[in-house]
Amino acid sequence: MSADGIVGEFLALKSETDADLLAMQCGDFYEFFAEDAEFVGDELDLKVSEKSSHGSTYPMAGVPVDDLTPYLKALVERGYRVAVADQYETEDGHAREITRVVTPGTLLETTDPAAQFLATITRVDGRYGLALADVTTGEFLVTTATAESDVVAECHRFDPVEVVPGPTVDADLLDQIREGTDATVTDHDDSAFAPGRAERTLREQFGEAALDSVGLDDRAGVAAAGALLTYVEETGVGVLDAMTRLRAYDTDDHLNLDATTQRNLELTETMHGGSDGSLLGTIDHTVTSAGRRRLREWLTRPSRNRAVIDRRLDSVAAFTEAALARDRVREILDDAYDLERLAARATSGSADASDLLAVRETLALLPALAEAIEDSRLADSPLADIVADPDREAAASLRAELDEALAEDPPGTVTEGGLIRRGYDAELDDLLDRYESAQEWLDNLAGREKERTGITHLQVDRNKTDGYYIQVGKSETGAVPDDYREIKTLKNSRRYTTEELDDREREVLRLEEARGELEYDLFTELRERVAAHADLLQAVGRTLATVDALASLATHAASQDWCRPAVVEPGPLVVEAGRHPVVETTTDFVPNDVDLREDRGFLLVTGPNMSGKSTYMRQAALIVLLAQAGSFVPARSATVGVVDGIYTRVGALDELAGGRSTFMVEMSELSNILHSATEDSLVVLDEVGRGTATYDGISIAWATTEYIHNEIGCKCLFATHYHELTALADHLPRVENVHVAVAGDGDDEDITFLRTIEDGPTDRSYGVHVADLAGVPSPVVDRSRDVLDRLREDRAIEARGAESGGETKQAVFDLSSGGFREGSEAEPTESDGGELDPATESVLDELEGTSVAETSPVDLMARVREWQERLEEGEK
Ligand code: ADP
């Protein structure tokens, strides 16, 4: 074929696919041409040469056929989708066709042990459907949601590598998903999302009965799940058979953790990136990658279901009490391979002999594991049910079959021969017998010939060009018999062959080939039988992963002296001597109590900067999260009322690089929380309103406290440096003050932070004091004190109690005196000098009428700015 033809064919195939790049097989190489060649040349440092045709030249870059995988993997992990066109023989030569499109979400060759989710999202009848699958393990999930934010939060939890949106999904939603993940967004054939077609696809995959049991009556879920199957099928990855079950789950089964909270609590990654120092990084003692995936799943998706939580806690408790059995279990698991992934490899036909051996060895662990549990103190725990779950008989018989079939130490490639054990297949045994006897004849040939001819320097050998030959030293060539036919002369010797040797050689080659083919066929059959047991392998894999994750939780609990939380529903959060699970591993941690209950569900936490407020609040949130994940918790004792979600706004995360100001981010996070939290949630606020001028800041913090207290009524921890807010506790019944204890006189230079939390407000604001401690020159510190006093001029804010149910509490906080006044309206009082000027009055009216929850942050900012201007005007 001419060069033009090849490049032309490449460009034609490229136009058939929506993949970013095309690798086309040309004999022993996969080639990239034209722009694609330049691109991979840059990305992968591949040598780019020139292919000329008809006076034009095209860039060309290629990789040997057997080396494609690592290049594919590198491209796909960078987010590109690569089509692969294979060459096949036809009657008149050969042709090429695209056989696979490798995409981030369908990359089977990954070596990263973390889960690799592909997501499809669609919207039908106003509901979102979200399907998620990990093709490397066959895991397949689907859920539906009404709120966009739920879809975003779910995506951030699963952290998919590729998202395929349906035609009804708007760009804004995708942008939000991209903010918290590195997902590649792939546009795909919209018709796959049509509910009718999607339903047919699901029926074909799972059958009628299976579908009914999933109860997918939600068309959005059906559309997303069906489209996902179509996409996986169309990429040609060949793992559909490993997707043995579809699990429909309800987002309400799990604790709501919005994207910000997942980041703030550093569940799987720290703020600086990387898993070291994250919660998962700290408590993970799993010994298998599947176990780590399971633990990650529990931490990012803690349960809301007390039965589920208690069952996990029972297992962890059993493991903590039976240290010897736990060690034994972990030792067994240490030898386990990733069965779920092996099942997917068997299904796609990419598993080699060592993969099947890995299946065999891992299946062999199941009886040992069951014994370690059933014969120990763990026998009465739910762990016994967990190991009884997979079909152990089926596992044993599959293992026996693999034992019988596979050689003890098979070669790395499936075409090399030596894969299959003797005694497994009569035909193969016969071939091997004949091969061995031919080999024996060859081995003994030199001896026989030496004897027959009397030649001493005679040897029999084999090489690629000459095949088998008899080599005779130069000095003795005169003695060679007539039946020797010379084939080559070397410096010191000559090579010969004989008719019989030629015959034997042909026989050996024939037998070698036949053996290779037969072994390969036997191996593929075996691999298919393993693939047919994908669901069994997945069940065993899940069991091993679950036991590993539970043993890991127990290991950490035992080493850090954690306690079993009493999980109640609904109920308070009462923690005695609690610690922060990560900080306690690196510092001498001072334990603290948390007491959030009916009559004190809202704690205002005050104390100087760096005294430990945010650590205290995160610690409370993490204790709830760990308990609902089924883990013991860092405390002497803990009672944890199940919450439906944890919402946090912590620290000033600088997102200026993202084009949004810090204050803007702060306000939009606040707005999300106020919209999403319910009475059963836990809200953690670390400073609100800090990113703006004091008076706007206080106003927003103030209104937020009232709104959470009066309207939402959830458990809340709110750290603030606005010392003024502490007075709210006297007027809002569920608000209680706590503060971080400080030793020493505030004016003394050597005050120390005791890190203990005590009831009551902090007695003063320490901002200026901290400036002093930090060595800010004393004229500046002194002047700050003056300015602070001046700022506390006659400004007043009204506190509003709940309007429904009971008496309306009204109070006016006077910034000048730092005290509260009771009153039904924000009436002028004596300290105001009798009367408010009209500008102030109108600003206060508008402030009162502004709903923080219903006003966008931008409007809020604009309004506050406008109020400030009007107030300044009014003062003149
Ligand atoms: P704040 O929110 O008040 O500014 P942080 O919570 O950030 O303070 O804590 C400041 C420092 O004190 C951190 O380095 C933290 O590790 C440490 N710290 C906080 N709480 C404790 C504690 N209970 N025991 C020991 N060290 C603590």
Side-chain angles (χ1 to χ4, degrees), residues 798-864:
E798 177 193 9
R800 291 186 299 150
E803 269 151 35
S804 58
E807 182 193 349
T808 303
K809 287 235 171 196
Q810 299 277 359
V812 177
F813 179 68
D814 187 340
L815 284 168
S816 60
S817 66
F820 248 95
R821 300 174 261 133
E822 293 289 344
S824 58
E825 288 296 328
E827 273 167 6
T829 63
E830 271 145 44
S831 69
D832 291 318
E835 215 163 80
L836 281 176
D837 66 84
T840 310
E841 206 161 352
S842 73
V843 168
L844 285 176
D845 278 349
E846 284 173 38
L847 177 60
E848 186 182 8
T850 300
S851 155
V852 176
E854 286 161 19
T855 315
S856 77
V858 183
D859 289 346
L860 215 48
M861 275 168 73
R863 269 189 222 183
V864 170

Side-chain angles (χ1 to χ4, degrees), residues 583 588-590 592 608-615 755:
V583 181
D588 219 355
F589 201 86
V590 180
N592 275 307
N609 277 335
M610 288 302 288
S611 61
K613 299 184 296 298
S614 42
T615 308
R755 314 277 188 220

Side-chain angles (χ1 to χ4, degrees), residues 437-450 458 460:
S437 81
Q439 199 66 55
E440 198 182 319
W441 184 90
L442 286 164
D443 287 348
N444 297 334
L445 179 62
R448 279 197 311 273
E449 289 300 293
K450 276 184 191 166
L458 181 150
V460 172

Side-chain angles (χ1 to χ4, degrees), residues 19 112 202 233 275 329 347 374 455 464 471 480 482 519 549 634 674 773 786 791 796:
D112 182 354
L202 284 179
E233 179 166 28
S275 91
V329 162
T347 310
E374 287 157 5
I455 299 172
K464 274 220 168 86
Q471 183 159 305
V480 302
D482 291 347
E519 282 210 348
L674 297 181
L773 279 186
D786 287 351
L791 284 174

Side-chain angles (χ1 to χ4, degrees), residues 298-311:
W298 290 348
L299 292 184
T300 52
R301 306 171 65 216
S303 179
R304 261 191 234 181
N305 180 329
R306 240 189 73 194
V308 171
I309 299 170
D310 277 336
R311 209 171 118 91

Side-chain angles (χ1 to χ4, degrees), residues 476-506:
E476 290 176 287
T477 50
V480 302
D482 291 347
D483 58 333
Y484 276 28
R485 184 162 46 83
E486 189 180 328
I487 50 173
K488 193 175 250 174
T489 305
L490 303 172
K491 197 166 155 222
N492 297 317
S493 59
R494 284 194 180 150
R495 288 181 182 167
Y496 304 89
T497 181
T498 68
E499 206 168 304
E500 197 179 7
L501 181 56
D502 278 347
D503 286 347
R504 292 289 176 159
E505 176 173 355
R506 274 193 294 276

